[in-house]
Amino acid sequence: MIKALIVDDEEPARQELRYYIERDANFTVCGEAAGGSEALELASCLQPDVVFLDIELWDLDGVEVARLLLKQPRPPLIIFATAYDAYAIEAFELNAVDYLLKPFTAERVATTLARVRQLLQQHETPPLASLLRHLATTRKTTKVAAWKEDRLLVIDPGEIIYAEARGHQVLLKTNQGALRFPGTLQELEDKLDRGFLRVHRSFIVNLDLVREVVPYFHGTYHLLLKDQEKTEIPVGRTYLKDVRAILGF
């Protein structure tokens, strides 16, 4: 049996992950910890084969917990299981096996468990490059929060037609009208999947809603969108190469 330790300061998250893990007959959950200090003590005693580790813990930073776990005489495999994708590069620099984003699904956890089984059989850790490619193909933000006057709405990313940095604000054009994103355009870009593209220092567009590429002055282009206003978004010169590659012109 492959022994798994779950580390998360939220009990419902631990229970959900335990349920998915124990559906695989090759695994058993040997322990649960609600914090980093407890996780280090349990790992020392229980010698788990794999640790499912949240990053935002109440006492210690999960990345630091992983570093300490990897210094043990018999270090476990590390799976980061978290709601935050901002730590992915740090995670893979530690040779983490995988990076599970909440909310978990049975299929996604099963994929991770299969990878753990394979690595334990081969007695090796995965190369950083392949894990980064895997993250790039699976990472996806499922919801975006934005203000409409005094109400904070939670919308699907697909509802965004385009985003515009205007002054110190980031406005989202949607079929519900203009919403205000509580962050920078770069922060929004980091949250969105590859269905969106930064085409200008002030604009991100939904690629599914690009109707036409319109040649403009001196080798520049505008993108004509499928919204009712038939909005034209300028393509910045520094972004033109990426836009050409993605749209194929």
Side-chain angles (χ1 to χ4, degrees):
M1 294 288 284
I2 299 171
K3 297 190 297 182
L5 173 64
I6 299 174
V7 185
D8 196 305
D9 54 10
E10 296 181 352
E11 185 176 358
R14 297 198 304 271
Q15 292 176 345
E16 180 184 25
L17 200 48
R18 173 186 280 270
Y19 170 75
Y20 287 139
I21 292 170
E22 293 190 334
R23 289 176 63 175
D24 189 317
N26 297 286
F27 286 80
T28 182
V29 175
C30 64
E32 296 181 12
S37 298
E38 183 184 7
L40 293 170
E41 291 181 12
L42 285 178
S44 179
C45 297
L46 300 174
Q47 295 290 295
D49 300 297
V50 58
V51 175
F52 288 79
L53 179 61
D54 193 9
I55 288 179
E56 297 288 339
L57 300 170
W58 70 269
D59 56 348
L60 295 175
D61 175 78
V63 174
E64 182 59 28
V65 172
R67 289 194 179 98
L68 294 173
L69 288 171
L70 293 174
K71 291 179 181 179
Q72 293 187 347
R74 183 179 174 272
L77 298 178
I78 302 294
I79 310 287
F80 283 98
T82 179
Y84 304 92
D85 60 7
Y87 300 91
I89 299 299
E90 288 182 84
F92 291 126
E93 285 175 350
L94 292 170
N95 264 350
V97 171
D98 209 342
Y99 198 97
L100 281 173
L101 285 176
K102 298 176 182 178
F104 308 127
T105 65
E107 295 78 11
R108 184 67 181 84
V109 175
T111 299
T112 298
L113 297 180
R115 181 175 293 116
V116 169
R117 289 198 306 272
Q118 181 182 13
L119 291 171
L120 290 175
Q121 289 168 1
Q122 297 173 349
H123 302 288
E124 62 183 36
T125 56
L128 174 62
S130 66
L131 286 169
L132 289 175
R133 286 196 297 271
H134 176 73
L135 179 69
T137 58
T138 57
R139 172 179 172 270
K140 183 177 181 180
T141 293
T142 56
K143 298 293 179 182
V144 173
W147 290 98
K148 184 173 184 179
E149 298 176 350
D150 60 346
R151 293 184 297 146
L152 186 63
L153 305 184
V154 180
I155 64 172
D156 293 325
E159 296 181 52
I160 301 171
I161 301 169
Y162 67 89
E164 178 184 1
R166 188 181 298 176
H168 297 294
Q169 297 186 90
V170 174
L171 301 179
L172 308 182
K173 171 65 184 301
T174 73
N175 290 328
Q176 303 182 53
L179 308 179
R180 181 168 54 84
F181 176 70
T184 67
L185 196 65
Q186 182 61 57
E187 289 170 339
L188 177 64
E189 183 181 8
D190 291 341
K191 288 175 66 69
L192 296 173
D193 67 16
R194 293 185 298 174
F196 290 82
L197 183 65
R198 182 81 167 261
V199 300
H200 188 279
R201 62 186 178 86
S202 299
F203 291 97
I204 296 172
V205 300
N206 185 335
L207 292 173
D208 288 337
L209 299 178
V210 175
R211 179 193 302 272
E212 185 178 345
V213 180
V214 181
Y216 213 60
F217 296 111
H218 305 298
T220 61
Y221 296 85
H222 281 193
L223 301 180
L224 180 64
L225 304 185
K226 296 179 182 178
D227 57 332
Q228 291 183 343
E229 293 81 7
K230 297 182 179 179
T231 303
E232 287 193 23
I233 302 293
V235 177
R237 289 186 182 276
T238 57
Y239 299 88
L240 182 56
K241 183 178 179 181
D242 288 342
V243 175
R244 281 183 178 275
I246 294 296
L247 297 183
F249 68 96

